Amino acid sequence: MAMITSLTMNFPHISTHNNYNNIYSNQKFSTVCTNNTCNLSSRSSLEPLTWQITLNSLHLSKQLTAYHYVNQRIHLRKNRKMKVICGRSEPLKVMISGAPASGKGTQCELIVQKFGLVHISTGDLLRAELSAGTDIGNKAKEYMNSGRLVPDEIVTAMVTARLSREDAKEKGWLLDGYPRTLAQAESLERLNIRPDIYIVLDVPDEILIDRCVGRKLDPLTGKIYHVTHFPPETEDIKARLITRPDDTEEKVKSRLQIYKQNAESILPVYSNIMKKVDGNRDKDAVFAEIDSLLSRVQKEEQDARKSEAVISSTRADITSLNKDWRGIPTRLNNIPHSREIREYFYTDVLQATQRAVNDGKTRLKIEISIPELNPSMDVYRIGTLMELIRVLALSFADDGKRVKVCVQGSMGEGALAGMPLQLAGSRKILEFMDWGDYGALGTFVNIGSIGGKEVGEQDDLFILVAPQNAVGNCIIDDMKAMTDAAGNRPVILVNPKLKDLPGSSGIMQTMGRDKRLEYAASFEICYQFRLLYYAGTQYPIMGALRMSYPYPYELYKRVDESPGKEKYISLATFAKRPSVDEMNDAFEGKSRNQAKRAQGFWGFLSGIL
């Protein structure tokens, strides 16, 4: 039987490590901190920080190994200003919608009981404003007394005033049945009031009509009964029950029609966060699904926060990093590259990727095309790519993140079974590489395949090694399953090749081409470096295109200074990836508003997608 052990550890000099605070991202560690945010920049570098840890003794050995790995590497990092976020997530913001008799009121009660949200109903708000005699209540009363509907701007004012109160900010909120119209939804959007999830209770019309028509009201207690599903407890109660005026079949059908029209009108505003729940079930079954949805939203919020920067750096710091950039190395066509050149590019890629992850980006792509990183020209160069992967993985591991490095396996069946030649043996290379003396591999860094089943709860970040299609087979299905399972955790593609490679039948054996292209384009480039050549050649180098997040694309021209010497000079910058014509124009010295042409010797530059 597993024994639960309580353990207290001291981590001395923790302020010298840039992000050990992310130890809480490990699911087996439960950190205890008295404050929501502990600023360590003011602590003495010799003052130990005590964490209380509860873990299952079966995992004790592995977790101590992980502790030693991080604790040893603490002393390898420079002092940095940082703060610790002790896993406090933002409060939930929920909207729930449902037709009359859908069970929305019951589910709101259960949600409030479980999650402690502030329940906000426009009916309750209106009654409170009228009772208190506020300005909003008096204005609403004028409309109601004259038989008119209360205008959207008055209802929205009530809702926003309630949402601005401290309890709603601290506990989170549950908006019940609001917004009802497109105008109300757009008003909230303009005020930047948006839920984390929009729940719709889906119940068939005939069930709703039966629920309404059979509904009875106890005028003495205000309690609602149903002649079949929830009969009164006694004959005395049954005798005094009445039918509400709007619970006739004709009026119910009319209300359902109005509800559907309004619901359809606001659907585009919340379509990406809408979750339909089958409301034609027992209330406990319905709530079990809602509970699961809200818990998942909370977890994704926590995962997103784990992916944010915990090192407090300013935009000036980032600008300073870019100003310190040394420029493009020379003699890049001379291979193998020196270790200095390789490490130069590893650092350049790492800094851009870290900035993107620290800014909360979750779907990232690295494209670096230099001779030493092009395995398609010479298979031995896969080792250089593996070195780059190791630098990325170990750096994020130093930050306390658990990194999964993923290499695709064999795809297809029969004659089409296999994997791209450039990746053959790459997983074995990773497994036998030197990952340092601190036990990173198997604790903070793990190696796996590409697919949804590879995503574990303990994983914080995923690095996919050169994912690419094979003839007649497509890796995108496995990638999509993985990103879906990863949720808001960062997924980083390194030198992906996601163009179609149809088989002899012209079939890719996967989703439609438009969807494949759309999915491939959903990854944001955080780093790109590409050498530019004359059309159809690999020599001489004419220039280079570089982009390092969050900076614009930079176009450089290579210039020979003297025999054996060269340099790169800046030609232009672009807010987005430039076209071949735009780059040709910059090389020819043409202004961007001149008519573009692509012909002759400068017809195009090779190597540009």
Side-chain angles (χ1 to χ4, degrees), residues 78-265:
K78 297 179 180 179
N79 287 312
R80 297 185 186 180
K81 182 180 179 181
M82 65 178 179
K83 65 178 181 179
V84 177
I85 302 172
C86 291
R88 180 186 177 186
S89 59
E90 290 294 318
L92 275 173
K93 299 183 286 290
V94 182
M95 286 181 180
I96 187 168
S97 175
S102 62
K104 180 164 56 66
T106 300
Q107 295 305 316
C108 284
E109 290 178 6
L110 296 173
I111 292 171
V112 170
Q113 289 174 13
K114 173 68 182 288
F115 294 93
L117 306 182
V118 174
H119 183 205
I120 300 174
S121 163
T122 52
D124 293 341
L125 288 179
L126 189 56
R127 284 187 287 272
E129 296 287 344
L130 290 172
S131 176
T134 63
D135 291 341
I136 293 178
N138 291 332
K139 289 180 182 179
K141 189 174 183 180
E142 293 176 8
Y143 287 93
M144 296 169 68
N145 288 342
S146 60
R148 294 176 293 168
L149 292 175
V150 179
D152 286 339
E153 56 267 23
I154 292 180
V155 180
T156 301
M158 289 192 305
V159 172
T160 53
R162 184 65 186 88
L163 291 173
S164 66
R165 288 165 60 176
E166 284 304 314
D167 61 341
K169 292 180 180 179
E170 293 178 2
K171 298 179 181 179
W173 45 261
L174 171 64
L175 264 181
D176 177 1
Y178 185 89
R180 284 188 172 88
T181 66
L182 178 60
Q184 292 172 351
E186 290 176 341
S187 295
L188 294 180
E189 287 289 298
R190 285 193 294 269
L191 295 169
N192 292 321
I193 298 173
R194 187 171 178 82
D196 299 314
I197 185 171
Y198 180 71
I199 297 173
V200 176
L201 294 177
D202 187 27
V203 182
D205 286 359
E206 59 271 18
I207 301 297
L208 293 171
I209 293 171
D210 175 70
R211 288 181 181 178
C212 287
V213 172
R215 192 160 54 182
K216 302 294 181 180
L217 171 67
D218 183 348
L220 191 62
T221 64
K223 191 173 182 179
I224 300 294
Y225 293 91
H226 190 278
V227 293
T228 304
H229 308 301
F230 184 45
E233 296 89 346
T234 66
E235 288 296 325
D236 289 340
I237 297 176
K238 182 178 180 181
R240 65 174 182 255
L241 296 182
I242 61 173
T243 300
R244 295 193 305 188
D246 55 351
D247 277 347
T248 64
E249 184 171 347
E250 181 180 349
K251 290 186 177 180
V252 169
K253 289 181 178 179
S254 175
R255 287 160 58 200
L256 284 178
Q257 186 63 31
I258 294 172
Y259 166 78
K260 288 181 179 179
Q261 291 174 352
N262 290 336
E264 288 175 4
S265 70

Side-chain angles (χ1 to χ4, degrees), residues 424-497:
S426 55
R427 178 162 179 165
K428 283 295 182 184
I429 294 174
L430 285 169
E431 291 172 351
F432 287 111
M433 285 180 74
D434 179 8
W435 289 89
D437 300 325
Y438 307 105
L441 190 63
T443 53
F444 277 77
V445 177
N446 287 282
I447 299 170
S449 302
I450 296 177
K453 294 181 180 179
E454 292 290 323
V455 178
E457 290 186 4
Q458 74 280 4
D459 299 322
D460 298 314
L461 182 144
F462 305 88
I463 299 175
L464 277 55
V465 181
Q468 50 194 278
N469 296 322
V471 174
N473 291 290
C474 188
I475 190 62
I476 286 182
D477 280 345
D478 291 333
M479 288 175 56
K480 189 173 188 308
M482 191 166 204
T483 51
D484 288 347
N488 285 328
R489 289 172 281 182
V491 177
I492 303 168
L493 313 184
V494 180
N495 278 2
K497 295 182 179 179

Side-chain angles (χ1 to χ4, degrees), residues 340-597:
E340 181 183 9
I341 288 179
R342 296 202 306 273
E343 289 180 348
Y344 163 88
F345 279 108
Y346 299 161
T347 301
D348 206 27
V349 171
L350 174 61
Q351 289 176 347
T353 309
Q354 285 177 326
R355 291 193 292 264
V357 171
N358 290 344
D359 276 355
K361 305 294 184 180
T362 59
R363 300 293 176 263
L364 296 171
K365 180 165 55 176
I366 296 166
E367 295 180 348
I368 176 169
S369 178
I370 57 175
E372 188 74 13
L373 274 169
N374 189 354
S376 62
M377 297 180 66
D378 197 329
V379 177
Y380 90 88
R381 297 173 189 171
I382 193 70
T384 309
L385 180 60
M386 296 300 105
E387 276 192 335
L388 172 60
I389 298 297
R390 180 174 59 185
V391 168
L392 290 170
L394 283 179
S395 178
F396 283 111
D398 284 352
D399 290 342
K401 292 182 172 63
R402 293 184 174 268
V403 181
K404 178 71 71 70
V405 177
C406 305
V407 183
Q408 69 191 75
S410 179
M411 299 185 296
E413 298 177 356
L416 291 178
M419 67 184 300
L421 177 62
Q422 299 97 305
L423 294 178
S426 55
R427 178 162 179 165
K428 283 295 182 184
I429 294 174
L430 285 169
E431 291 172 351
F432 287 111
M433 285 180 74
D434 179 8
W435 289 89
D437 300 325
Y438 307 105
L441 190 63
T443 53
F444 277 77
V445 177
N446 287 282
I447 299 170
S449 302
I450 296 177
K453 294 181 180 179
E454 292 290 323
V455 178
E457 290 186 4
Q458 74 280 4
D459 299 322
D460 298 314
L461 182 144
F462 305 88
I463 299 175
L464 277 55
V465 181
Q468 50 194 278
N469 296 322
V471 174
N473 291 290
C474 188
I475 190 62
I476 286 182
D477 280 345
D478 291 333
M479 288 175 56
K480 189 173 188 308
M482 191 166 204
T483 51
D484 288 347
N488 285 328
R489 289 172 281 182
V491 177
I492 303 168
L493 313 184
V494 180
N495 278 2
K497 295 182 179 179
L498 301 179
K499 289 185 176 180
D500 286 355
L501 295 174
S504 58
S505 62
I507 299 175
M508 279 296 294
Q509 301 178 358
T510 186
M511 65 180 81
R513 184 171 186 273
D514 290 344
K515 290 185 177 180
R516 292 198 300 272
L517 294 176
E518 180 182 357
Y519 177 78
S522 68
F523 287 82
E524 180 180 353
I525 294 177
C526 64
Y527 183 86
Q528 183 177 68
F529 186 91
R530 186 174 294 274
L531 293 175
L532 308 177
Y533 301 88
Y534 278 117
T537 71
Q538 293 291 317
Y539 184 85
I541 298 172
M542 301 308 302
L545 180 68
R546 174 183 179 266
M547 192 281 282
S548 177
Y549 179 90
Y551 306 108
Y553 284 83
E554 303 162 313
L555 182 64
Y556 294 87
K557 181 180 180 180
R558 189 190 67 84
V559 177
D560 289 313
E561 290 186 296
S562 61
K565 292 186 178 181
E566 64 182 14
K567 68 177 181 180
Y568 287 82
I569 60 173
S570 177
L571 289 182
T573 60
F574 303 87
K576 60 180 182 180
R577 187 172 181 169
S579 66
V580 174
D581 286 342
E582 288 174 324
M583 288 188 287
N584 281 335
D585 289 345
F587 270 93
E588 293 180 335
K590 295 168 61 175
S591 62
R592 298 188 190 181
N593 56 6
Q594 284 182 260
K596 292 181 172 59
R597 61 187 178 88

Side-chain angles (χ1 to χ4, degrees), residues 18 21 26 45 76 139 142 162 287 297 357 402 555:
N18 74 325
N21 51 321
N26 172 16
S45 62
L76 302 181
K139 289 180 182 179
E142 293 176 8
R162 184 65 186 88
F287 180 68
V297 169
V357 171
R402 293 184 174 268
L555 182 64

